[in-house]
Amino acid sequence: MKLTSLLAGALLLAACNRDKGADVGTQGMNAAANQAADATANPTVDNPNVVGESETPNPNAPVMTFAEQEFDFKDIAADNKVKHTFEFTNTGKSPLLIADATASCGCTTPNWTKEPIAPGAKGTLEVQFDSRGKQGLISKQVNVRANTQPSITTITIKGNVLTGATAAK
């Protein structure tokens, strides 16, 4: 008897909600859940590194032009530090300022020209790689953040870290 009256009460409550125009069906519940999930999964984010469609690029902005954007050390001895200096020129119309340079790994250390680089002047970015604890093919990126458009320029170093057995040959 109790089970029957509970079941009857639940059906009555569901019927009342439907009569009031509330959309409590599975489709309505799923649609609301999907909208909430979409908003959470795909939030709108403003990226300051991307020029918007309505923004026009600054024609007077500095431009960092590298002589090379990738360097291959070829074979690197195990437990050794190697360095390469990348040269760049400011081919823009205003002074170039490098805010920072970050490597994709702690084994890679960048060091760059800290002073403003005038239009037409050259600067350097030295990248040191420590092969200690590494072996085989490596590829490391350094992201250089400056007052350019876009604000991030990526350079790459690569090589082949030899193991003790390979280096002895």
Side-chain angles (χ1 to χ4, degrees):
M1 177 85 166
K2 287 183 182 181
L3 181 61
T4 321
S5 61
L6 281 174
L7 187 57
L11 288 173
L12 181 61
L13 182 61
C16 287
N17 282 340
R18 224 176 284 139
D19 290 342
K20 291 180 185 174
D23 189 6
V24 295
T26 355
Q27 188 176 20
M29 288 171 38
N30 287 340
N34 286 341
Q35 286 176 349
D38 286 346
T40 305
N42 300 316
T44 302
V45 177
D46 291 331
N47 185 345
N49 298 325
V50 177
V51 176
E53 291 175 16
S54 61
E55 292 182 51
T56 55
N58 178 0
N60 296 320
V63 178
M64 186 182 299
T65 305
F66 280 91
E68 60 183 342
Q69 286 196 277
E70 182 176 284
F71 181 77
D72 189 350
F73 286 109
K74 307 278 187 221
D75 289 339
I76 304 167
D79 299 326
N80 195 16
K81 291 181 182 178
V82 291
K83 293 180 185 179
H84 178 72
T85 301
F86 290 89
E87 256 192 28
F88 61 89
T89 305
N90 178 1
T91 57
K93 296 180 180 178
S94 59
L96 174 77
L97 295 166
I98 297 176
D100 68 3
T102 54
S104 59
C105 174
C107 59
T108 306
T109 312
N111 188 18
W112 61 92
T113 303
K114 305 290 193 273
E115 302 80 31
I117 298 113
K122 293 184 181 296
T124 59
L125 177 76
E126 181 184 83
V127 180
Q128 176 178 293
F129 171 72
D130 186 352
S131 67
R132 189 175 9 159
K134 308 286 185 213
Q135 66 180 17
L137 297 176
I138 59 104
S139 178
K140 306 294 177 183
Q141 288 74 41
V142 176
N143 291 321
V144 183
R145 191 167 54 92
N147 61 336
T148 55
Q149 291 181 343
S151 65
I152 295 179
T153 303
T154 302
I155 59 171
T156 305
I157 59 168
K158 61 184 185 174
N160 180 30
V161 180
L162 304 173
T163 60
T166 314
K169 288 182 182 180

